[in-house]
Each structure stands twice: as structure tokens, then as C-alpha cells.
Amino acid sequence: MMSRFFLMFHVLTITKDFEERSNYYDTLLAAESHAINGKKGIHSAKDPPVMHVTDLLTSKRLPAIVDYVLSGHRFKLLIPKETCSIPFSFSGVRCPGRDEPFSDEAIAFMRRKILQRDVEVPFETVDRTGTFLGSLWE
């Protein structure tokens, strides 16, 4: 099963005799030749499936669900319309981090107010770690 999945998306490269190989190298080579003969996966004549990418920053307000509260200002949002889960943080808000005074109170407050609630989020930007920044409307 693993070799079937692996060979649908990857082509094995022939290594030199002195390089280390996987214990399953011969099995993978046999599975690759079977996929080539059967015209399976990337070896088939069919076009690959189209990948749709949505730019969340161009949307006005997206409906979302607060899936998890990481800290007083960081959350994990589930966006059902796009079937994705993203990290989110309030823009322009400074909140106590872990092990700082009032951090436990901030987390408890946000869990009481917005955890597992339907919200709307207009995104402003994405920071360098991939966290979306913006506002949150209940």
C-alpha cells in the first residue's frame, strides 16, 4: 500500500552502488515498474487534477469557527467554506504570553468568550510565521 501511494507521486532515482539505500529499495523499484507497465499515477496519460488555491486575504469577511485558543490573542480557526484550518492572531493587540502575569486569565477569558463559536474574520495580512492577522467579529 505504501509503495502504491509513493509511486503515484514520485519517481525513484537510481542511486550509485556505494550510496546507502532504503531497505525497501528493491520493492519500490518493482512497484515502480509495475506502475509504469500499468500506466498508474504519474505514468498515466490522464491530466493531473486541478489544484484550486484561494487567496484568503482578498475576501471581505469569512465565516469561521474558533477551534482552539492558543493564548489570549492567538487562535486556531476552522474555515468550513475553504475546508482549512489556519492560525490566527489579533492585529495590533499585545497580550501576556505564557508564564507572564495574567496570561492564564487572558486564556480563560478568550476560551469563555469565543471557543467553539461562529465568528467572522476579515484578514489584513500574514506574518512571517504564517499566522493570519486581522479582526474577529462574533
Side-chain angles (χ1 to χ4, degrees):
M1 180 67 177
M2 188 275 301
S3 61
R4 179 186 296 165
F5 173 77
F6 179 72
L7 291 174
M8 291 179 102
F9 301 106
H10 185 68
V11 176
L12 286 177
T13 56
I14 306 298
T15 60
K16 297 176 178 63
D17 288 335
F18 60 87
E19 292 181 347
E20 287 188 37
R21 295 182 183 169
S22 168
N23 294 336
Y24 303 104
Y25 187 76
D26 295 329
T27 308
L28 291 172
L29 278 178
E32 181 183 35
S33 65
H34 181 69
I36 291 171
N37 293 338
K39 297 188 189 293
K40 303 278 184 183
I42 62 172
H43 306 289
S44 71
K46 290 191 261 181
D47 290 331
V50 178
M51 179 185 271
H52 298 284
V53 177
T54 304
D55 186 8
L56 296 176
L57 294 177
T58 59
S59 305
K60 298 278 187 207
R61 279 190 185 182
L62 280 177
I65 300 168
V66 179
D67 195 27
Y68 189 74
V69 175
L70 299 164
S71 70
H73 70 287
R74 288 193 50 148
F75 318 102
K76 182 177 165 187
L77 297 181
L78 175 68
I79 302 177
K81 181 180 174 186
E82 303 297 333
T83 62
C84 67
S85 182
I86 61 166
F88 176 79
S89 181
F90 289 132
S91 64
V93 173
R94 166 70 173 97
C95 197
R98 297 227 184 250
D99 301 328
E100 287 185 29
F102 303 109
S103 66
D104 294 333
E105 289 85 352
I107 293 170
F109 178 75
M110 295 314 288
R111 284 185 178 153
R112 273 195 319 269
K113 293 302 263 181
I114 63 170
L115 184 61
Q116 298 298 322
R117 302 266 170 97
D118 293 324
V119 294
E120 290 183 347
V121 284
F123 299 112
E124 295 174 13
T125 187
V126 180
D127 70 2
R128 62 185 168 163
T129 63
T131 302
F132 286 79
L133 303 173
S135 308
L136 190 126
W137 301 87
E138 193 172 12

